[in-house]
């Protein structure tokens, strides 16, 4: 047991890889649920408050911009209070944003709610990914996929809750309050479990300058993450609106494309870690990129909402493994400063979200939603060139994880 771990035990935090993994899984699920709750209620909130299409697009872009700022606030919070406290605080902030979003009486209040949510989800994002990188390092094998599977499960549940509430003709305030209560419950249940610290002084890590060379090594992962989140944003933020406006689906049916997308990611991420161990990260990334590209093309050409729902599920299946493998590989570039690396990598995440959300929203507001899914299909093919940069935990890391287990 390391000196750092012993100190945690002294403060009442037992060393437990299993417990730490369980807590991180809960946080990922809460993040997925809160994001789904926001995106799947966009059509209902737009209609209730009579928001102009361009304003809705601007609000989705603003969420991504605030999330970028929230990522660096989360980095500061991690260095001061640790990733678990950061995750808990961000989840509580997201709860407040969801309640305000549901009960917002007008445009000013709903704008504040979306901005607050963006700040919260950005801080939560860097918190959960930093903790996931620490846990994967402790295990010495690929476990990132299982965390993102929990994220997707949370998204599926939240999307189905939105659809069910619409079916029961609940007001959007009731639906979002219910989902905020679920996230609140998950936040309250979180506990802190210590993990062995990586080699290097914590003080030195805090002072570490990542340098220009690391930025160069981050670029392939950043470009992959950018494309992934262009796809993610196009499907997550706008699939419900696409079904509603272009394919004439009801408010009950509109959230199902998001639910199918997240269900596809659950299936993909459930087997991601095993596939990486068996086939290697490079082969998995290439196959996933090809599947995502084909499914996006099918979504763009969908003749009706049932076909679109199936295509969205296939997009999720293909895109599901790209983000977790990208983040895990990037975190291994500098294990002693993974939180700083991931915070910087998240910039590409939010650029992708902004680009995908803005372009899809603008195309949708002018009646060209199909083009909003055809363009990301072409971008997904470009991921094949970046696949060779993906890595797996080294044999030394696996040996270290086995030694800790024994």
């Amino acid at each position: 047991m390391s000196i750092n771990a012993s100190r945690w035990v002294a403060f009442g935090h037992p060393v437990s890889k299993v417990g730490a993994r369980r807590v991180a899984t809960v946080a990922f699920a809460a993040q997925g649920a809160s994001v789904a709750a926001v995106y799947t209620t966009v059509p209902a909130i737009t209609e209730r408050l009579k928001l102009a299409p361009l304003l809705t697009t601007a609000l989705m872009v603003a969420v991504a911009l605030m999330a970028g700022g929230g990522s660096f606030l989360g980095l500061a919070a991690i260095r001061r209070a640790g990733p678990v406290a950061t995750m808990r605080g961000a989840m509580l902030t997201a709860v407040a944003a969801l309640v305000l979003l549901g009960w917002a009486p007008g445009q000013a209040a709903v704008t504040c709610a979306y901005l607050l949510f963006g700040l919260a989800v950005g801080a939560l994002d860097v918190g959960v990914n930093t903790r996931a990188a620490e846990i994967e390092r402790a295990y010495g094998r690929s476990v990132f996929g299982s965390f993102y599977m929990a994220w997707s499960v949370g998204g599926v549940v939240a999307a189905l809750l939105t659809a069910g509430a619409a079916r029961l003709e609940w007001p959007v305030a009731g639906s979002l309050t219910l989902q905020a209560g679920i996230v609140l419950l998950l936040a309250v249940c979180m506990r802190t479990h210590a993990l062995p610290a990586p080699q290097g002084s914590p003080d030195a890590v805090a002072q570490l300058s990542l340098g220009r060379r690391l930025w160069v090594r981050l670029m392939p992962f950043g470009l992959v993450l950018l494309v992934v989140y262009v796809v993610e944003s196009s499907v997550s933020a706008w699939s419900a609106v696409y079904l509603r406006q272009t394919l004439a689906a009801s408010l009950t049916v509109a959230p199902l494309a998001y639910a199918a997308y997240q269900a596809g990611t659950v299936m993909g991420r459930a087997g991601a870690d095993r596939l990486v161990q068996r086939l290697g990260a490079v082969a998995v990334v290439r196959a996933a990129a090809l599947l995502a590209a084909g499914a996006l093309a099918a979504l763009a050409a969908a003749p009706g909402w049932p076909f679109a729902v199936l295509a969205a599920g296939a997009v999720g299946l293909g895109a599901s493994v790209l983000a977790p493998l990208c983040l895990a590989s990037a975190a291994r570039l500098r294990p002693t400063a993974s939180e700083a690396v991931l915070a910087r990598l998240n910039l590409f995440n939010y650029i992708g979200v902004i680009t995908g959300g803005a372009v899809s929203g603008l195309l949708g507001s002018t009646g060209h939603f199909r083009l909003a899914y055809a363009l990301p299909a072409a971008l997904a093919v470009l991921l094949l060139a970046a696949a060779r940069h993906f890595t797996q935990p080294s044999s030394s890391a696996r040996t270290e994880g086995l030694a800790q287990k024994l």
Side-chain angles (χ1 to χ4, degrees):
M1 183 182 295
S2 68
I3 296 174
N4 185 61
S6 300
R7 185 175 60 196
W8 276 100
V9 173
F11 282 107
H13 300 294
V15 176
S16 171
K17 290 190 298 183
V18 175
R21 186 175 183 179
R22 186 182 303 118
V23 168
T25 299
V26 167
F28 270 93
Q31 186 188 21
S34 59
V35 169
V38 169
Y39 284 152
T40 57
T41 53
V42 168
I45 290 175
T46 299
E47 293 181 16
R48 181 174 71 86
L49 297 178
K50 297 181 173 57
L51 303 179
L54 287 178
L55 176 59
T56 302
T57 299
L59 289 174
M60 294 300 100
V61 172
V63 169
L65 287 171
M66 291 300 291
S71 179
F72 283 93
L73 285 178
L75 173 60
I78 288 170
R79 288 175 169 172
R80 179 177 295 271
V84 177
T86 300
M87 292 188 295
R88 187 184 294 113
M91 287 165 64
L92 294 174
T93 305
V95 168
L98 289 174
V99 173
L100 178 59
L101 186 61
W103 294 92
Q107 292 184 4
V110 83
T111 298
C112 290
Y114 278 125
L115 295 179
L116 181 63
F117 178 77
L119 201 64
V121 81
L124 182 56
D125 199 35
V126 72
V128 295
N129 284 308
T130 296
R131 192 59 168 169
E134 293 173 349
I135 293 167
E136 180 168 278
R137 185 167 56 244
Y139 271 82
R141 59 183 172 85
S142 178
V143 296
F144 239 93
S146 65
F147 294 124
Y148 274 82
M149 183 182 71
W151 196 100
S152 300
V153 170
V156 171
V157 171
L160 292 177
L161 283 174
T162 300
R167 178 70 175 175
L168 296 173
E169 298 184 351
W170 284 15
V172 68
S175 172
L176 284 171
T177 300
L178 172 63
Q179 302 198 56
I182 294 173
V183 176
L184 176 61
L185 180 62
L186 293 177
V188 170
C189 291
M190 292 180 66
R191 296 293 182 268
T192 300
H193 297 271
L195 289 170
Q199 296 296 321
S201 165
D203 294 332
V205 171
Q207 302 296 325
L208 186 63
S209 174
L210 295 181
R212 189 174 299 175
R213 181 179 296 179
L214 185 64
W215 272 109
V216 173
R217 296 177 68 191
L218 273 178
M219 284 303 297
F221 302 112
L223 293 175
V224 170
L225 209 60
L226 189 153
V227 174
V228 167
Y229 279 97
V230 166
V231 174
E232 167 77 22
S233 180
S234 299
V235 178
S236 298
W238 297 107
S239 61
V241 182
Y242 173 50
L243 263 65
R244 178 69 170 163
Q245 294 183 0
T246 303
L247 302 179
S250 66
L251 284 175
T252 301
V253 168
L256 295 183
Y258 185 96
Y261 173 77
Q262 293 300 344
T265 65
V266 171
M267 294 173 61
R269 289 165 178 169
D273 294 324
R274 289 189 180 91
L275 285 174
V276 168
Q277 293 168 27
R278 177 172 297 182
L279 303 176
V282 173
V284 172
V285 169
R286 286 174 176 163
L290 288 174
L291 176 57
L296 282 164
L299 182 60
W305 70 260
F307 189 90
V309 169
L310 292 175
V315 174
L317 185 63
S320 59
V321 303
L322 297 174
L325 291 183
C326 187
L327 292 164
S329 294
R332 285 191 283 273
L333 295 177
R334 193 67 62 84
T336 57
S338 58
E339 76 282 359
V341 172
L342 293 175
R344 283 155 178 76
L345 190 62
N346 270 347
L347 289 176
F348 295 94
N349 171 344
Y350 300 121
I351 292 171
V353 171
I354 292 167
T355 303
V359 172
S360 297
L362 289 172
L363 289 172
S365 65
T366 57
H368 296 91
F369 252 132
R370 295 185 185 278
L371 189 57
Y373 294 109
L375 292 176
L379 289 176
V381 177
L382 300 178
L383 300 182
L384 296 174
R388 63 187 179 87
H389 295 280
F390 282 71
T391 62
Q392 297 170 240
S394 64
S395 57
S396 61
R398 287 192 292 270
T399 302
E400 180 184 349
L402 179 60
Q404 291 167 0
K405 184 176 180 181
L406 296 175

